[in-house]
Amino acid sequence: MRGRLMRSMVSAVFVVTILLGVPFAFLDAKFVTRSAQDALDQEVQRIGILTDVQLANHQFDTRTLTADLSSGRAAQITFPAGSAHASAHLGPEITDQPRASEVYQGKSGERVVVSESWAPIAGRIRLQMLLLVAAALAAFAAAAGVAYLQARRISRPFGELASTAERLGAGDQRPRHRRYGIAELDRIAEVIDHSSDRVSRIMAKERRLAADASHQLRTPLTALSMRLEEIIEAGDMETVKEEAAIALTQVERLTDVVQRLLTDSGEARADSAGAPTDIDLIIRQQIFEWRPAFRSARRLIRVDGGRGLLAAATPGSFAQVLATLLENSLMHGAGPVTIRTRTAGGSVVIEVSDEGPGVPPELGARVFERAVSGRASTGLGLTVARELAEADGGRLELLQQRPPVFALFLPRFN
């Protein structure tokens, strides 16, 4: 890149120098030649006039005329036949490329020609050419220096942009916000920065989706594994069939979770949320799924409150939120778990509480933030549960920290 820019700029200067220098050199040589010729013609006019003056005074002094000649020039004065004066040669003998002036025709019939050597004029022309060549070389040197600086100034941003693009491809999405004072390069840098921001947001969204998916799949998989353990330990076929039927229901719910994660369709969610959901049915399903785990931990699940309540919610989302609250109580709580249902205005409220230590005071409402957990867990469960509740038009709140009471508010179906 840098070499190409330098070659381009030096080539441009070379072409301009040739296009301007050659005609200028030609015109300069013509000017020097013409100036020398004019000076020689003026010289012959002066010598001719001096000769006329002497002849008019009836004298012809060659020494005086020779003294009046310019240095390096010679004059030839020729008289017509029958003249009283003899022809004369004034000045040195010019043998090295003589150059003659025009002929001066005197009043007494004499002819005067002044000549000089071409060598000094040729030397002047050569000197002028050397000066032109020196000027061209200086221009080339200056152009090369300017080209180097400009090429370095232009190529450096390209290198930085390439490095930024390479970092972006390697996974470093930090924008650099560098500008270079060149409109085109600044536009490229701006596009790369915007791409970095966009890629960073996309990757963050993908990481969040992967974390949410893993957590949403973990709960039904855990319940399914517990149900399979019950099947293995069952001693009669009736129990096996019952547990297998429950496991099949869990597989269907797991399939529903996967489908929702793949489609992520807000329109489909809104359509499902518009249908009535039997709160008692979802609670019974979750109790069946989690009872073996609570029994292993020697804990109870109790249900209290109103019956026959209907909510305008997505059954799968409601089941996932309730499963998260039960799992959270199993992992972090103590004593029996109570699921209490009631109505409050236009909402159906499902409260889940236990007799454990609850949420630490320093966490409070931050327990719903991502990666915030009071114990050794992912810190995603309550976050995902709140997002699922909000997607159905409801909300998930922490009503009491100690003992913990979580409440899920869902729109009541009228």
Side-chain angles (χ1 to χ4, degrees):
M1 176 67 180
R2 184 178 300 179
R4 184 175 299 176
L5 288 173
M6 290 185 62
R7 287 193 297 271
S8 298
M9 296 184 69
V10 173
S11 298
V13 173
F14 175 78
V15 171
V16 171
T17 302
I18 294 299
L19 292 178
L20 295 179
V22 171
F24 184 79
F26 177 77
L27 292 176
D28 187 64
K30 292 283 289 184
F31 175 77
V32 172
T33 303
R34 186 62 185 173
S35 297
Q37 186 65 43
D38 290 344
L40 200 61
D41 292 340
Q42 292 175 2
E43 182 82 358
V44 75
Q45 292 292 328
R46 188 172 62 81
I47 297 300
I49 292 172
L50 290 175
T51 302
D52 284 340
V53 171
Q54 287 189 2
L55 293 176
N57 294 329
H58 305 287
Q59 59 180 353
F60 182 62
D61 188 358
T62 57
R63 288 180 298 177
T64 303
L65 294 175
T66 301
D68 288 333
L69 275 173
S70 298
S71 176
R73 292 176 177 172
Q76 182 67 35
I77 303 176
T78 305
F79 291 93
S83 175
H85 302 285
S87 298
H89 179 82
L90 310 178
E93 189 70 25
I94 305 298
T95 58
D96 183 15
Q97 299 177 344
R99 182 180 180 86
S101 68
E102 62 183 13
V103 177
Y104 177 83
Q105 188 68 43
K107 297 179 179 180
S108 301
E110 78 277 11
R111 293 166 57 88
V112 181
V113 176
V114 177
S115 60
E116 65 178 352
S117 174
W118 172 253
I121 301 173
R124 288 176 55 191
I125 293 176
R126 285 194 297 270
L127 179 60
Q128 294 289 92
M129 297 301 105
L130 290 176
L131 291 176
L132 284 177
V133 171
L137 293 177
F140 284 144
V146 173
Y148 175 77
L149 295 177
Q150 287 295 101
R152 183 178 180 182
R153 175 174 175 264
I154 295 175
S155 62
R156 181 179 57 83
F158 278 107
E160 292 183 359
L161 291 175
S163 176
T164 302
E166 185 177 359
R167 289 192 303 104
L168 180 61
D172 185 358
Q173 290 85 36
R174 294 173 300 171
R176 300 192 63 178
H177 302 295
R178 293 287 298 276
R179 299 298 181 264
Y180 307 99
I182 302 174
E184 293 78 6
L185 293 178
D186 289 346
R187 175 59 181 162
I188 295 174
E190 183 179 359
V191 170
I192 292 179
D193 286 342
H194 288 170
S195 299
S196 299
D197 291 335
R198 185 164 58 254
V199 171
S200 179
R201 290 194 298 270
I202 291 174
M203 293 190 66
K205 183 178 180 181
E206 290 181 351
R207 286 193 294 265
R208 179 174 175 176
L209 178 61
D212 292 352
S214 63
H215 193 278
Q216 291 190 51
L217 293 175
R218 187 187 68 179
T219 300
L221 286 174
T222 301
L224 181 59
S225 65
M226 292 187 301
R227 191 58 57 189
L228 293 176
E229 290 176 359
E230 291 288 328
I231 293 176
I232 293 174
E233 295 176 358
D236 60 277
M237 186 57 65
E238 291 298 326
T239 304
V240 171
K241 289 181 179 181
E242 180 182 356
E243 296 295 335
I246 297 175
L248 183 60
T249 303
Q250 293 170 342
V251 170
E252 291 175 354
R253 189 164 69 86
L254 180 61
T255 303
D256 179 66
V257 171
V258 173
Q259 185 64 29
R260 284 189 292 106
L261 289 173
L262 291 177
T263 58
D264 194 19
S265 174
E267 183 178 355
R269 182 184 296 274
D271 293 342
S272 299
T277 298
D278 190 342
I279 300 298
D280 295 337
L281 176 61
I282 301 299
I283 291 177
R284 283 197 301 270
Q285 289 176 352
Q286 291 302 311
I287 290 177
F288 274 121
E289 292 182 10
W290 288 95
R291 180 169 289 161
F294 278 88
R295 187 166 54 240
S296 298
R298 296 182 180 181
R299 296 175 61 186
L300 299 176
I301 302 179
R302 298 184 300 202
V303 180
D304 191 11
R307 294 290 185 270
L309 299 177
L310 298 178
T314 305
S317 297
F318 172 41
Q320 180 69 26
V321 174
L322 185 56
T324 300
L325 295 178
L326 290 175
E327 182 185 20
N328 191 65
S329 182
L330 178 63
M331 293 178 60
H332 306 297
V337 176
T338 301
I339 301 176
R340 180 177 292 104
T341 57
R342 59 184 174 87
T343 59
S347 300
V348 175
V349 185
I350 301 93
E351 297 179 356
V352 178
S353 61
D354 61 63
E355 298 177 359
V359 180
E362 64 271 14
L363 294 184
R366 293 183 64 242
V367 74
F368 292 105
E369 297 179 8
R370 284 183 175 268
V372 174
S373 175
R375 304 285 180 87
S377 62
T378 61
L380 285 175
L382 292 176
T383 302
V384 175
R386 170 173 272 191
E387 292 175 355
L388 290 173
E390 291 175 351
D392 278 345
R395 68 183 191 276
L396 180 61
E397 302 291 346
L398 175 62
L399 298 184
Q400 182 176 303
Q401 290 184 234
R402 292 190 178 183
V405 178
F406 288 91
L408 173 62
F409 295 81
L410 294 175
R412 186 175 181 181
F413 185 83
N414 297 322

